[in-house]
Amino acid sequence: MRVLVVESDRHSADRAIADLRAAGHEVARCHESGAPAFPCNALCDGGSCPLDSGSGVDVLLDYRARPHPRPTPFEDGVSCALRHQIPVVVAGAPALNPFDQWTTAVAADDSVVDACERAATAPIESLAAVALAKVRQLLSNEPAVADVADVTVTRNAGTLQAIVLLPECADELDAALAVGVAGAIRTRDRWTPRVDVCVSRLPSAVGRDFRRYSADRRP
């Protein structure tokens, strides 16, 4: 798992970073240790944004050293991650969290690693909503099927995985649905390198291979 770590104050996330690395996870930063809040790594000569890398980011951890109702300059990466549909975990002092509306999980100091692991694979409701809207549009001639269709979207190792669930009586529109769902997700997430889509019939919604369509990130 690749974790983008930001912090409200310099070095407040040091322990969390050590715990993540000890658990075998990769840590990426918006600002190198000791560097000023501006510019971020993406704007430095020879630098790059972790969100733009080929491996992407699975989850963002924001470690807040103190309650504060507004983001500090060192927390600018949270906004970037949210635009990329990356789940956000807040740890440390979560009171007055300015990102509360968009926070996937809040972690105590002894559960930062577990919280990040859970958040990284949690369903992404915003992407599932646009995908389901596309499914219902494509199934407009089968309203009974459209009403019970469902979509879940999760992130796994830098890939978005969407599962479209249909009743067994649904017509064979798997290819069209998969392409449509991948395209709908791509309208909201242009950065993740790959979107994989599986169309499955209820009740057997597990065990089908993911079908890859032309939903790779364009350079």
Side-chain angles (χ1 to χ4, degrees):
M1 181 177 68
R2 192 166 191 239
V3 185
L4 178 59
V5 177
V6 301
E7 55 196 356
S8 62
D9 301 89
R10 282 194 181 98
H11 302 298
S12 58
D14 286 357
R15 176 185 168 186
I17 290 172
D19 289 344
L20 286 165
R21 286 174 171 160
H25 300 304
E26 180 184 355
V27 172
R29 303 300 304 273
C30 294
H31 311 276
E32 297 307 319
S33 179
F38 183 87
C40 66
N41 285 342
L43 299 179
C44 294
D45 291 341
S48 62
C49 176
L51 295 168
D52 294 334
S53 67
S55 54
V57 168
D58 297 299
V59 62
L60 178 139
L61 171 67
D62 179 17
Y63 198 98
R64 313 201 82 219
R66 50 197 167 90
H68 192 59
R70 290 181 295 278
T72 72
F74 287 101
E75 294 175 285
D76 54 357
V78 177
S79 296
C80 299
L82 290 171
R83 289 183 57 246
H84 285 66
Q85 311 294 323
I86 302 298
V88 170
V89 174
V90 173
L96 303 180
N97 172 18
F99 311 110
D100 184 65
Q101 178 181 347
W102 302 278
T103 297
T104 300
V106 174
D109 284 353
D110 59 352
S111 64
V112 166
V113 174
D114 287 343
C116 288
E117 290 174 344
R118 290 194 304 271
T121 57
I124 305 172
E125 301 298 340
S126 58
L127 295 181
V130 297
L132 182 57
K134 186 63 177 181
V135 168
R136 288 177 173 164
Q137 176 190 342
L138 294 171
L139 293 173
S140 58
N141 292 331
E142 298 183 74
V145 173
D147 286 346
V148 297
D150 198 10
V151 181
T152 59
V153 181
T154 55
R155 190 182 302 276
N156 182 24
T159 295
L160 289 172
Q161 296 181 338
I163 299 178
V164 181
L165 299 176
L166 301 176
E168 290 181 319
C169 62
D171 289 345
E172 287 293 334
L173 297 172
D174 293 19
L177 289 171
V179 172
V181 164
I185 291 173
R186 219 16 122 201
T187 64
R188 294 290 300 274
D189 186 322
R190 306 188 304 274
W191 304 276
T192 302
R194 182 177 290 278
V195 178
D196 291 349
V197 182
C198 171
V199 180
S200 189
R201 267 38 179 201
L202 295 171
S204 179
V206 184
R208 300 277 296 275
D209 291 335
F210 280 96
R211 301 182 178 187
R212 289 182 171 83
Y213 292 85
S214 33
D216 291 350
R217 180 178 62 186
R218 291 185 175 90

